Amino acid sequence: MKKDQVTKRYLAVTLLNIIITLVEFIGGALSGSLALLSDAVHNLSNVGAIILSFVAHLISKRKRDQWKTFGYERVETLAAFTNGVILIIISIFLLFEAIQRFFDPQPVKGGLMLTVAVVGLVANAVSMLVIGMHAKNNLNIKATVLHMMSDALSSVVVVIGGLVIMVTKVSWLDPLLTILVSIFVFIEAVKISIKAANVLMETNPDIDLEKIRTIVLAHPEVKHLHHVHIWRYSEDYIMLDAHLNVDYDLPAGKFEQLCQQISDQLATLGINHVNFQAECERGKNDEMIASFGHEE
């Protein structure tokens, strides 16, 4: 998708979500529906998520420079973590509001609640269609679509609640639905935040270190493997840095060929950026994962 098309789609979706958020806030206040207000707050967070996602997408395309020698791709991970934390805070707030509403039930206008919720559901569906048409090869857009899916689910729950309230006049169903939506949003937000935090903390992306050891030490030129660091820099790059003990007389050209062969094999594990440091005696007794902690 061309850059100007991305901009237009993000702009269209942002404006649509701003409008529907205002409608839901007004409708929630007039109908007395906490579930509808929670959906409006969720949509408001969605507007922020779309804007943040788009800005991060633009920044991530910047070229490497003297200040960011790795580049700017990880800014999208920062955006995902920020969105996750914001959603966690919002879901906890709505959860407490819903619990309080159980002890102080308020009359709810089911008809107005239903009408506004249907409009919100349609808007969410249109947003997903507009921005999701080219999400196949763009993780950032996929994350935005996932956020919209949670909004759509929230709208579906409110629609169901509006229908039931119109028929049964059961006022406690409104806070109950709010609790269910809040719990769902909380769980999904925690998942996003943990995944983003793992990337930012340079956590091992679930790659078996023993498989790495087997691949590397299968080459007779390598005597020992130590100081291994493996991390996910972004969704597109998994990096490996390690020290290899080799013979004194191994030529630089041969070592380069060796590194290329090992890199090609490690690519089967998903590792696509490898850096090896050649050593002879230094570190030959060190472990794969070096310990730099302070001992008592």
Side-chain angles (χ1 to χ4, degrees), residues 2 5 21 48 62 64-65 103 108 120 132 148 181 202 208 223 247 252 260 262 272 288:
K2 294 181 179 180
Q5 292 178 317
T21 299
R62 296 179 60 181
R64 300 174 185 177
D65 53 39
F103 298 99
V108 177
M148 292 175 183
V181 172
E202 300 184 343
D208 190 346
K223 308 305 178 184
D247 291 331
Q260 186 60 56
I262 297 176
N272 47 18
M288 281 186 67

Side-chain angles (χ1 to χ4, degrees), residues 191-261:
K191 290 179 181 178
I192 292 174
S193 299
I194 291 176
K195 184 177 181 180
N198 282 336
V199 174
L200 296 174
M201 289 295 294
E202 300 184 343
T203 305
N204 178 356
D206 199 26
I207 293 180
D208 190 346
L209 294 181
E210 286 305 314
K211 289 184 178 180
I212 294 176
R213 186 202 300 271
T214 300
I215 289 174
V216 174
L217 296 184
H219 296 265
E221 299 91 339
V222 182
K223 308 305 178 184
H224 183 60
L225 170 69
H226 62 281
H227 283 211
V228 172
H229 301 278
I230 182 168
W231 70 101
R232 181 184 293 279
Y233 173 70
S234 67
E235 288 296 330
D236 298 323
Y237 287 100
I238 295 178
M239 299 185 171
L240 170 70
D241 181 87
H243 295 197
L244 305 181
N245 289 103
V246 297
D247 291 331
Y248 281 99
D249 57 356
L250 182 67
K254 291 291 186 182
F255 182 73
E256 182 178 341
Q257 293 177 1
L258 173 65
C259 290
Q260 186 60 56
Q261 292 172 2

